[in-house]
Amino acid sequence: MKSAFLADLQRPHPNIQCDTELRRIIQMWRRPGAHAVAIYRFGSWIQRSSLFIRICLLWFYLILERRMRIKWGIELNRNARIGGGFHIDHFGGIFIG
């Protein structure tokens, strides 16, 4: 999960023009698509983790996933297989299962 999430952050985004790498990551993080991908990566990590971690953190993931679905209209199923470098450039009406 960590390598895929880092690949998501390091992917070049043509719509974000910044002079430093840190500012580019901050600008990218302000977009709903970045939040959706981070929540997806968290959920897929929980899915592959031990039973104890799933019991402790699944409720937190479900709250974040519900908020993402209601607020931005993006639904990424945690069972979906998405490689590194994934980016959602807009919000609304996105369902990946």
Side-chain angles (χ1 to χ4, degrees):
M1 180 190 106
K2 184 178 178 182
S3 63
F5 184 68
L6 290 176
D8 296 337
L9 289 178
Q10 293 170 349
R11 182 177 185 266
H13 303 287
N15 297 338
I16 301 174
Q17 304 297 326
C18 293
D19 52 350
T20 65
E21 184 71 15
L22 179 62
R23 284 188 181 186
R24 186 186 66 78
I25 290 174
I26 290 171
Q27 287 295 325
M28 187 189 72
W29 188 249
R30 295 175 65 196
R31 296 172 182 238
H35 290 212
V37 173
I39 293 168
Y40 159 75
R41 299 280 181 215
F42 179 63
S44 65
W45 173 75
I46 289 173
Q47 191 72 15
R48 293 187 313 269
S49 296
S50 67
L51 181 62
F52 177 73
I53 291 175
R54 278 184 283 187
I55 290 171
C56 292
L57 296 177
L58 185 62
W59 66 272
F60 183 63
Y61 164 75
L62 292 174
I63 291 170
L64 291 174
E65 194 254 344
R66 178 63 55 110
R67 181 178 182 263
M68 176 178 60
R69 188 181 323 152
I70 292 170
K71 187 174 181 180
W72 300 312
I74 301 172
E75 185 172 347
L76 300 174
N77 190 326
R78 68 179 181 253
N79 295 322
R81 301 180 99 193
I82 300 173
F86 182 63
H87 175 69
I88 298 174
D89 201 28
H90 62 86
F91 63 93
I94 297 172
F95 176 80
I96 299 176

